[in-house]
Amino acid sequence: MRVVVVGQGYVGLPLAVRAAEVGHEVIGYDVDSRRIKSLAAGESFVEDVSSERIRAALDNGTYRPSDAARDCGGFDVAVVTVPTPLHEGTPTCGTSRSRRSPSPAICAPAPPSSSSRRPIPAPPRSCSPRSWRTARA
């Protein structure tokens, strides 16, 4: 299966590497070209993903980091892992400050489950799944 993981940060990179380890063809897309060059060299910057795991996936041909959007075409599955928009440490999804966000669903904060050890504030009520249905209606 061809998988595209958009965002190669502390959520996207572990997801991309694990998908590659189980045999999926994975494109790890990120707009940060320095990050992509580092990953292409087999260097990890995420605590939960060792450089050895990245190099193994690169050598196996199942993981390919890229900053070129054209490499993302023809996927079977796409996963978007981008930062939650914040204002003064609080998620802004569903508020007037989130106009730059394309969808309230994209604002759903992921719990810190990788290298992040800091607690995050609870999302405002406007970030609840109920507000997503309302926003889409």
Side-chain angles (χ1 to χ4, degrees):
M1 182 177 305
R2 183 170 163 87
V3 179
V4 172
V5 180
V6 178
Q8 293 297 280
Y10 76 93
V11 174
L13 182 60
L15 175 68
V17 170
R18 184 63 187 138
E21 288 172 339
V22 298
H24 298 291
E25 176 190 350
V26 179
I27 300 295
Y29 176 78
D30 203 292
V31 296
D32 185 339
S33 60
R34 289 182 300 172
R35 177 176 289 181
I36 292 301
K37 286 178 186 173
S38 177
L39 292 171
E43 299 170 13
S44 180
F45 57 91
V46 173
E47 180 181 324
D48 293 347
V49 180
S50 68
S51 294
E52 291 78 22
R53 287 178 65 197
I54 293 174
R55 284 192 292 272
L58 289 166
D59 292 345
N60 195 14
T62 54
Y63 174 66
R64 184 164 52 111
S66 178
D67 59 358
R70 67 182 170 277
D71 293 339
C72 297
F75 60 84
D76 297 304
V77 174
V79 181
V80 178
T81 62
V82 295
T84 302
L86 299 176
H87 178 72
E88 296 178 5
T90 303
T92 60
C93 54
T95 69
S96 62
R97 292 183 190 99
S98 68
R99 290 197 174 133
R100 284 180 240 131
S101 179
S103 165
I106 291 176
C107 293
S113 60
S114 184
S115 62
S116 174
R117 302 292 184 242
R118 294 179 293 134
I120 58 172
R125 286 186 203 184
S126 60
C127 247
S128 71
R130 173 174 279 168
S131 70
W132 301 345
R133 286 190 294 273
T134 303
R136 290 181 186 164

